[in-house]
Amino acid sequence: MTDRPLIQMSAPRRGKPPRHFADLTHDERIDTVREMGLPAFRAKQLETHYYTHLTVDPKEMTDLPAGGRDDLAAQMFPPLMSPLTSLVADGGATRKTLWTLHDGVKVESVLMKYPERATLCVTSQAGCGMACPFCATGQMGLTRNLSAAEIIEQVRLAARASRDGELGEPVRLSNVVFMGMGEPLANYKAVMQTVRALVAPEPHGFGLSARHVTVSTVGLVPAMDKLTKEGIPVTLALSLHAPDDELRNEIVPVNTRWTVDEALDAAYRFYEATGRRVSIEYALIRDMNDQAHRAAMLARKLRERGDGWVHVNPIPLNPTPGSKWTASDPEVEREFVHTLRDHGIPTTIRDTRGSDIDGACGQLAIKED
Ligand code: SAH
C-alpha cells in the first residue's frame, strides 16, 4: 500500500510551440535563410542580433536589407512567450515574471541582481513530475516540457533586462541556474540544447562560462551519466535532502528508483569526468531531516567517496501552501552546518531571494489571481 504521489517521468504530448531560431543549429539556420533566397552569411548576422544584441526586432537589424527584414524576423522569431505579471522583492533586485506560452500554458522565472552581475533561475518544464511534497511546483504535476527556444528566450529576455538596467544599474547576466520549475534532466534534449547555447561563444551563443551554469537534479541517474559524457563543465547540483533512503523515499519520491548511494555515485562520476565540484542541496525541514546524526551520516557518505569533490548547500525550507512543514530553527541549522564542517565537508547556507513574492526555491507555482 502506498499513498505516495505518482512520479511522471515523461511529459504529456501537446501541440509544439512554433519552430524558432533558437531551436535550430547553425546549419539549419543557414538552410532556412537560403530557402528564403538569402545568402548564408545572413544566418550569422541573425545570430549576432539574437545572442549578442539580444534582439528579435527587425527595426534594430539595420545591417539586413530593409526589404525582407520584417519577413525574415517573422519567420525566424515567432513570439513564444509574453510576460503576464512581474513581482519585485529585495528592494527591486529580485524579479519574478509570470510568462504565458503559445498555448496559454504559464511558467515563471526569477531574475536576481547582485552588485556586478545577475543570475536567472530558469524554468525547463511547465510544472514538474517529481512530486516532492515540500516543493510547490512538485504539487502541480507535469503539464509539458518546454522547447529549447522557450528556455533560451527566458535567458535572452533576462539578459536584455539586466543589460538595460531594469533591476537597478545595468549588469551582465552571468549565471543561469536550472532551479525554476521542472526537473531539467527529465527534459534532457531541450535542456542540453539550452546549455550549449548558453556556453557557446558569441555570436553562436551567449558566451557564459560553463561553471556559471548550474543544472540541478533530483538524481535521475541515467541522465546524470549522460550529462557526464557530454563533458561540459557545468555545475551539477544534486537535491539530496536526506542521507538515508528511508527518509529520502518520503521527501524525494524518485529515490524509490535511484537510491541515495546511486545518486551520490553518479554525482561523483560527474566530478571525476569534469573536475567540477558538485553541490549537494539540502532543504532543512524542521524535525524531518535536520538532526545532527543526519548531518554526520551525510558527511560520512560524502567523505567515503573522496575529498574535495563536493560541498553542501543547506537552505532553510521555504514555506509552500498547504504544507505542514517549516524551516528548521536557526540554532538547529547552525548545528547542522557545524557538524558537516567538523567532518571536513565545506558547507555554505544558500542565499535565498524572493520568498515574500513566492519566488524562492520551491515556491514557483502558478496562481491565477
Ligand atoms: N527539479 C530540480 C530543480 C528545481 S528545484 C531539483 O529538484 O533539483 C531547485 C531547488 O529548490 C532544489 O534543490 C529543490 O529541492 C529546492 N526546493 C524545492 N522546494 C523547496 C522549498 N520549499 N524550500 C527550499 N528549497 C526548495
Side-chain angles (χ1 to χ4, degrees):
M1 200 212 80
T2 175
D3 53 5
R4 274 194 202 115
L6 289 177
I7 301 167
Q8 292 166 270
M9 281 294 180
S10 48
R13 287 188 177 277
R14 299 213 166 204
K16 279 198 167 173
R19 202 173 78 140
H20 186 278
F21 180 83
D23 289 313
L24 306 180
T25 63
H26 181 69
D27 288 343
E28 288 169 338
R29 287 172 192 150
I30 291 177
D31 292 345
T32 311
V33 295
R34 282 210 174 114
E35 278 159 25
M36 295 185 75
L38 297 166
F41 71 89
R42 298 290 179 211
K44 190 165 174 198
Q45 286 178 308
L46 289 170
E47 286 172 338
T48 304
H49 286 299
Y50 189 81
Y51 289 111
T52 304
H53 306 151
L54 308 171
T55 187
V56 295
D57 180 356
K59 288 193 284 298
E60 294 177 26
M61 302 182 183
T62 50
D63 56 348
L64 297 175
R69 212 186 277 163
D70 289 354
D71 284 348
L72 186 58
Q75 169 83 11
M76 290 291 200
F77 307 114
L80 294 181
M81 53 203 294
S82 47
L84 262 188
T85 53
S86 275
L87 291 173
V88 294
D90 305 314
T94 302
R95 182 169 80 180
K96 178 174 85 165
T97 305
L98 174 63
W99 305 96
T100 175
L101 307 179
H102 81 100
D103 51 0
V105 167
K106 295 179 182 67
V107 296
E108 292 178 323
S109 57
V110 183
L111 181 58
M112 293 160 281
K113 195 187 87 64
Y114 297 89
E116 312 247 301
R117 59 176 192 84
T119 295
L120 177 68
C121 183
V122 83
T123 280
S124 57
Q125 297 184 307
C128 185
M130 298 298 114
C132 303
F134 58 90
C135 174
T137 315
Q139 307 316 296
M140 301 172 59
L142 179 57
T143 303
R144 71 166 171 87
N145 280 330
L146 266 56
S147 67
E150 285 173 325
I151 311 173
I152 294 169
E153 272 288 271
Q154 292 172 57
V155 177
R156 181 185 68 85
L157 290 161
R160 198 179 160 97
S162 308
R163 178 197 71 190
D164 294 349
E166 289 181 21
L167 273 73
E169 90 274 21
V171 286
R172 187 176 122 83
L173 179 74
S174 60
N175 292 56
V176 172
V177 298
F178 285 86
M179 292 191 180
M181 305 173 104
E183 166 52 41
L185 294 187
N187 184 12
Y188 190 85
K189 205 167 150 233
V191 165
M192 278 320 298
Q193 225 176 309
T194 304
V195 168
R196 285 193 204 96
L198 293 173
V199 304
E202 291 178 25
H204 301 297
F206 294 105
L208 300 191
S209 148
R211 62 177 55 231
H212 293 160
V213 174
T214 299
V215 176
S216 182
T217 180
V218 288
L220 307 186
V221 167
M224 290 168 78
D225 285 334
K226 225 162 133 186
L227 179 68
T228 297
K229 289 205 190 78
E230 308 275 354
I232 305 177
V234 293
T235 298
L236 176 67
L238 172 62
S239 295
L240 198 67
H241 307 307
D244 54 303
D245 290 321
E246 200 186 348
L247 179 57
R248 195 166 189 263
N249 285 342
E250 291 299 321
I251 61 181
V252 183
V254 82
N255 195 72
T256 56
R257 306 234 182 143
W258 296 285
T259 62
V260 169
D261 283 328
E262 287 168 334
L264 288 177
D265 286 342
Y268 188 77
R269 289 192 289 274
F270 180 84
Y271 161 76
E272 275 184 313
T274 61
R276 295 288 303 141
R277 199 162 74 151
V278 171
S279 299
I280 301 293
E281 310 299 302
Y282 201 106
L284 284 166
I285 312 173
R286 182 180 299 179
D287 298 332
M288 280 293 283
N289 63 354
D290 60 357
Q291 305 82 354
H293 76 86
R294 283 207 157 86
M297 185 195 282
L298 173 60
R300 184 169 50 72
K301 291 204 167 194
L302 299 178
R303 285 294 297 274
E304 73 191 16
R305 288 172 168 81
D307 281 324
W309 72 279
V310 72
H311 67 274
V312 178
N313 261 177
I315 175 173
L317 185 80
N318 290 308
T320 59
S323 164
K324 52 188 185 294
W325 292 326
T326 53
S328 305
D329 282 333
E331 186 54 42
V332 173
E333 175 183 315
R334 267 195 296 279
E335 195 190 343
F336 194 89
V337 170
H338 283 149
T339 307
L340 283 166
R341 287 188 186 147
D342 286 349
H343 285 75
I345 302 295
T347 305
T348 37
I349 294 282
R350 190 150 103 214
D351 170 42
T352 184
R353 286 275 195 104
S355 55
D356 47 341
I357 52 169
D358 286 346
C361 294
Q363 293 186 315
L364 301 185
I366 306 304
K367 274 190 256 162
E368 302 278 350
D369 53 12

